[in-house]
């Protein structure tokens, strides 16, 4: 960053400085007339990389993936006023359900325009210039607007601090005239966070957890997806070994080495791993860490009836049996205290054997013209998952399919189960690949979900990213057909492989972008390959190609028969379908 004079330091520069302090290295944008002054300021910061997405909804999904996988566990998006805000709102609602730290910065008209009565573009009516501001209040820790340049930096900092402390998204509107206004250089963000930190009740929480834990005889530890957001894998392993009990993960909370002797598989009652489910149901205490109790997680149990044996550890609260609640805790510090506490006794009940691993659904791939099946496809995906891979899995049967893929130590998996927004995975994979460039992202997405956010393939190609995308083309919304079939469940079939390559074309003029120094050569090698996979021989061939051409985006359209689905989807359809038909 180069600022030659103090009076050149603006509110926009202030935002960039705060991003760098948070550890953010990339931010996602859609430009508009209200945010360009801010974008110009951010471009000065050489430590920040701008990632332009195709639309605002996709910036939100990309930020979601980035917040899950980056070391900062924080993401930033910059969007235009109202039209951008209302477009990204759905993605931020999903991030709210996962307690992700995402800072949404929306440009907005100059303060004089906002204060006037003149009709303004991007507003639903002359009198309603606050629609996006109001809409975000339900899905953020703060939804604010900088009303004047004197208080702008405090408004920005207050929102960022809420994002950090509450582990929730925030929304900030920054008028275009304020973004370029000079302001003082900021004091360190860590200092302001510390000043805003309230005393916690960790000591009382530790004592209460200890008392309940030490009185149990057959405890288990349950891990949910929020544990990935708040705690490192190493701290989870230390806690697991300190407690000494069986550990099960929710399908989107696989945040422990699956070779660990205490790991007992996925806990998805009524759908997966009946041996592990029995261990949980037979236990007298569930220590649930970052667990979500959504209806999709708990198809065959009622969590409200389990409170008598449940310790629920969340970001800022501990819920204990007897409806006792201790709030204002710091979860990370509480977990460290539990690891280091000699007062917490290791579990005495030792499980004698482990269940068979769920990968038994996989089928050997034959070098033949036999039709591709879900089972053989899972075996193929398994061969590509490495220790630094990140699986990003869309809503639908791919949830269950991914649950049959074993994760090597160091591999991550991300799903969005509570909010279950179809199409989330493709732009989320963009964010994850940007954040975790040392390994390849592997995407599992259905054809219906892909049609919702397909554009972001073009961003991956433009940035020369190299994820592997498995498109499960089973000709429709198969999760919906399993629940309740109807003519509305069958979108048009696309030539997906051809579409993927169409996102890369030679520019018709040079230079195609005058702000980029590198030239686009006519003979430039296509940074993507796309293939249709009909047979098992096709699958073997494209897996080899994905390994050989590892620097390219690999787009694999897997043509599956419409009635080929996991056993779990059939069960889900029966359970949920009964509720739909009532």
């Amino acid at each position: 960053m180069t600022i030659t004079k103090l009076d050149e330091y603006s509110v926009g520069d202030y935002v960039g400085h705060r991003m760098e302090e948070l550890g953010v290295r990339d931010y996602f944008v859609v430009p508009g007339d209200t945010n360009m002054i801010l974008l110009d300021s951010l471009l000065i910061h050489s430590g920040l990389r701008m990632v332009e997405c195709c639309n605002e909804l996709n910036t939100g999904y990309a930020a979601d993936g980035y917040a899950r996988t980056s070391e900062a566990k924080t993401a930033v998006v910059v969007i235009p006023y109202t039209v951008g805000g209302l477009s990204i709102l759905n993605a931020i609602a999903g991030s709210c359900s996962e307690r992700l730290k995402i800072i949404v910065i929306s440009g907005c008209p100059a303060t004089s325009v906002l204060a006037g009565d003149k009709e303004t573009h991007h507003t639903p009516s002359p009198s309603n210039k606050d629609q996006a501001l109001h809409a975000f209040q339900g899905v953020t820790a703060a939804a604010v607007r900088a009303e004047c340049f004197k208080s702008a930096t405090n408004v920005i900092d207050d929102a960022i601090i809420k994002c950090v402390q509450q582990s929730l998204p925030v929304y900030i509107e920054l008028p275009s005239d304020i973004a370029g206004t000079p302001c003082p250089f900021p004091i360190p963000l860590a200092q302001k966070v510390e000043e805003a930190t309230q005393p916690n009740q960790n000591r009382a929480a530790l004592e209460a957890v200890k008392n309940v834990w030490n009185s149990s005889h057959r405890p288990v530890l349950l891990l949910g997806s929020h544990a990935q957001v708040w705690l490192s894998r190493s701290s989870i392993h230390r806690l697991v070994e300190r407690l000494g009990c069986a550990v099960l993960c929710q399908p989107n909370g696989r945040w422990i080495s699956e070779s660990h002797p205490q790991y007992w598989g996925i806990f998805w009652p009524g759908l997966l791993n009946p041996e592990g489910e029995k261990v949980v149901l037979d236990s007298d205490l569930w220590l649930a860490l970052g667990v979500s109790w959504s209806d999709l997680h708990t198809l065959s149990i009622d969590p409200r009836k389990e409170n008598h044996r449940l310790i629920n550890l969340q970001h800022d609260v501990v819920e204990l049996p007897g409806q006792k609640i201790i709030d204002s805790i710091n979860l990370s510090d509480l977990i460290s205290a539990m690891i280091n506490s000699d007062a917490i006794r290791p579990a005495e009940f030792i499980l004698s054997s482990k269940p068979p691993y769920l990968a038994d659904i996989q089928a050997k791939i034959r070098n033949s013209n036999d039709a591709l099946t879900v089972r053989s496809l899972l075996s193929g995906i398994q061969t590509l998952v490495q220790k630094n891979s990140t699986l990003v899995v869309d809503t639908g049967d791919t949830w269950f399919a991914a649950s049959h893929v074993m994760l090597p130590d160091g591999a991550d998996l991300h799903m969005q189960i509570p909010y279950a927004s179809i199409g989330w995975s493709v732009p989320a994979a963009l964010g994850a690949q940007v954040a975790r460039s040392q390994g390849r992202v592997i995407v599992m997405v259905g054809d219906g979900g892909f049609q919702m956010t397909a554009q972001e393939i073009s961003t991956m190609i433009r940035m020369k990213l190299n994820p592997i995308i498995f498109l499960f083309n089973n000709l429709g919304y198969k999760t919906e057909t399993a629940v309740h079939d109807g003519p509305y469940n069958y979108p048009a079939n696309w030539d997906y492989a051809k579409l993927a390559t169409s996102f890369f074309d030679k520019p018709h003029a040079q230079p195609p972008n005058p702000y980029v120094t590198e030239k686009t050569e006519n003979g430039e090698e296509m940074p993507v390959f796309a293939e249709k996979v009909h047979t098992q021989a096709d699958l073997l061939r494209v897996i080899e190609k994905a390994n050989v051409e590892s620097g390219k985006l690999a787009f694999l359209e897997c043509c599956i028969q419409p009635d080929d689905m996991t056993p779990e989807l059939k069960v889900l359809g029966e359970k949920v379908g009964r509720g739909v038909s009532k």
Side-chain angles (χ1 to χ4, degrees):
M1 174 182 178
T2 304
I3 301 291
T4 57
K5 299 178 182 177
L6 188 60
D7 61 1
E8 292 180 357
Y9 192 85
S10 68
V11 173
D13 298 315
Y14 191 100
V15 171
H17 184 83
R18 288 299 190 224
M19 289 164 61
E20 291 175 328
E21 285 183 293
L22 289 166
V24 172
R25 295 292 174 259
D26 311 272
Y27 58 103
F28 303 90
V29 310
V30 171
D33 61 324
T34 55
N35 64 20
M36 290 179 177
I37 294 175
L38 173 60
L39 294 178
D40 285 344
S41 297
L42 296 179
L43 284 171
I44 297 173
H45 293 252
S46 58
L48 299 174
R49 177 171 59 166
M50 179 185 295
V51 180
E52 293 181 60
C53 295
C54 296
N55 61 54
E56 293 90 350
L57 175 64
N58 288 353
T59 64
Y61 288 146
D64 184 301
Y66 189 91
R68 292 167 183 264
T69 53
S70 70
E71 291 185 8
K73 295 294 184 183
T74 306
V76 175
V77 291
V78 182
I79 54 170
Y81 174 60
T82 304
V83 289
L86 296 183
S87 179
I88 200 178
L89 182 64
N90 182 59
I92 299 304
S95 301
C96 177
S97 75
E98 300 279 6
R99 299 293 296 254
L100 299 175
K101 296 191 285 289
I102 297 180
I103 300 168
V104 181
I105 305 176
S106 172
C108 65
T111 50
S112 59
V113 175
L114 292 171
D117 57 3
K118 185 178 180 180
E119 188 168 351
T120 307
H121 67 288
H122 293 334
T123 57
S125 70
S127 61
N128 186 358
K129 298 177 182 178
D130 304 328
Q131 182 61 51
L133 198 62
H134 294 155
F136 274 91
Q137 290 174 354
V139 296
T140 58
V144 297
R145 176 186 293 157
E147 302 284 0
C148 70
F149 73 91
K150 292 181 179 179
S151 61
T153 55
N154 286 333
V155 169
I156 292 166
D157 281 350
D158 288 346
I160 291 174
I161 290 168
K162 286 184 171 68
C163 176
V164 171
Q165 292 186 327
Q166 299 182 35
S167 188
L168 284 170
V170 294
Y171 173 80
I172 304 168
E173 285 191 353
L174 188 60
S176 56
D177 58 330
I178 291 179
T181 302
C183 72
F185 196 83
I187 65 172
L189 180 63
Q191 179 180 331
K192 299 197 76 170
V193 171
E194 184 177 354
E195 291 170 355
T197 300
Q198 299 295 319
N200 61 56
Q201 297 194 66
N202 279 10
R203 183 173 297 180
L206 177 63
E207 182 69 17
V209 170
K210 179 203 74 174
N211 291 337
V212 178
W213 177 267
N214 288 347
S215 64
S216 68
H217 301 286
R218 298 165 65 97
V220 295
L221 174 64
L222 303 178
L223 297 179
S225 64
H226 296 175
Q228 295 173 295
V229 179
W230 304 327
L231 300 165
S232 68
R233 196 190 296 268
S234 62
S235 65
I236 292 293
H237 277 210
R238 290 196 302 272
L239 177 66
V240 166
E241 288 161 9
R242 180 72 184 83
L243 298 178
C245 61
V247 183
L248 292 97
C249 300
Q250 290 192 301
N252 55 336
R254 295 163 69 178
W255 200 226
I256 181 176
S257 167
E258 298 189 350
S259 62
H260 196 286
Q262 291 170 239
Y263 177 63
W264 262 73
I266 294 170
F267 180 58
W268 206 343
L271 288 177
L272 284 168
N273 190 13
E275 297 91 348
E277 180 180 341
K278 186 175 187 302
V279 169
V280 176
L281 297 181
D282 288 348
S283 68
D284 61 346
L285 179 64
W286 302 357
L287 180 61
L289 178 54
V291 165
S292 171
W293 299 106
S294 77
D295 55 348
L296 289 174
H297 284 108
T298 56
L299 287 166
S300 65
I301 65 170
D302 185 349
R304 295 169 299 182
K305 296 179 180 179
E306 308 297 342
N307 288 336
H308 64 285
R309 56 173 171 179
L310 175 63
I311 299 177
N312 194 19
L313 297 178
Q314 296 294 340
H315 174 70
D316 52 5
V317 67
V318 176
E319 300 172 354
L320 299 128
Q323 298 184 333
K324 182 178 180 180
I325 296 176
I326 301 175
D327 55 15
S328 300
I329 68 152
N330 181 300
L331 182 64
S332 180
D333 290 347
L334 176 59
I335 295 301
S336 295
M338 291 174 63
I339 293 169
N340 297 318
S341 173
D342 294 332
I344 294 180
R345 297 195 301 266
E348 297 178 359
F349 176 68
I350 304 298
L351 295 166
S352 57
S353 62
K354 293 183 68 174
Y357 194 75
L358 291 168
D360 58 1
I361 192 176
Q362 296 179 17
K364 183 178 179 181
I365 311 172
R366 302 179 184 278
N367 191 9
S368 69
N369 289 325
D370 292 349
L372 181 70
T373 65
V374 169
R375 289 174 179 267
S376 58
L377 177 54
L378 288 177
S379 182
I381 293 172
Q382 184 72 72
T383 66
L384 288 168
V385 180
Q386 307 296 319
K387 64 180 181 180
N388 56 357
S389 297
T390 302
L391 267 70
V392 177
V393 184
D394 209 77
T395 299
D397 198 20
T398 44
W399 281 346
F400 307 117
S403 297
H404 292 283
V405 175
M406 185 174 182
L407 301 181
D409 290 357
D412 293 347
L413 177 143
H414 298 282
M415 304 177 182
Q416 192 199 59
I417 290 183
Y419 197 64
S421 188
I422 296 174
W424 160 87
S425 65
V426 172
L430 165 66
Q433 190 69 79
V434 167
R436 201 181 187 204
S437 59
Q438 71 274 23
R440 293 181 84 175
V441 171
I442 298 174
V443 184
M444 299 170 65
V445 60
D447 51 327
F450 179 76
Q451 288 196 12
M452 295 188 175
T453 53
Q455 311 97 314
E456 236 46 61
I457 297 292
S458 68
T459 307
M460 298 177 186
I461 293 172
R462 186 183 75 236
M463 297 184 69
K464 295 182 173 60
L465 303 179
N466 65 335
I468 305 171
I469 298 176
F470 286 92
L471 176 77
F472 285 56
N473 185 1
N474 49 17
L475 302 177
Y477 298 119
K478 289 305 149 184
T479 304
E480 307 297 343
T481 61
V483 171
H484 186 85
D485 203 2
Y488 32 74
N489 290 330
Y490 299 89
N493 189 42
W494 294 357
D495 189 337
Y496 296 98
K498 186 180 293 184
L499 175 68
T501 58
S502 75
F503 287 125
F504 178 81
D505 198 9
K506 301 172 186 176
H508 61 270
Q510 286 288 354
N513 182 346
Y515 294 95
V516 177
T517 55
E518 57 192 53
K519 293 183 179 180
T520 302
E521 303 293 343
N522 287 338
E524 182 180 357
E525 185 180 7
M526 182 173 284
V528 55
F529 78 83
E531 301 268 0
K532 285 183 182 289
V533 182
H534 290 283
T535 68
Q536 296 190 36
D538 290 341
L539 180 60
L540 290 173
R541 177 175 52 79
V542 298
I543 288 172
E544 176 66 17
K545 191 171 183 178
N547 283 322
V548 171
E549 302 187 30
S550 59
K552 294 182 178 182
L553 187 155
F555 186 92
L556 310 178
E557 179 187 345
C558 303
C559 301
I560 302 166
Q561 294 302 306
D563 59 351
D564 187 5
M565 63 184 72
T566 64
E568 293 80 24
L569 180 57
K570 295 177 182 178
V571 174
L572 176 74
E574 293 170 0
K575 290 179 179 291
V576 178
R578 284 196 293 268
V580 170
S581 62
K582 287 180 181 178

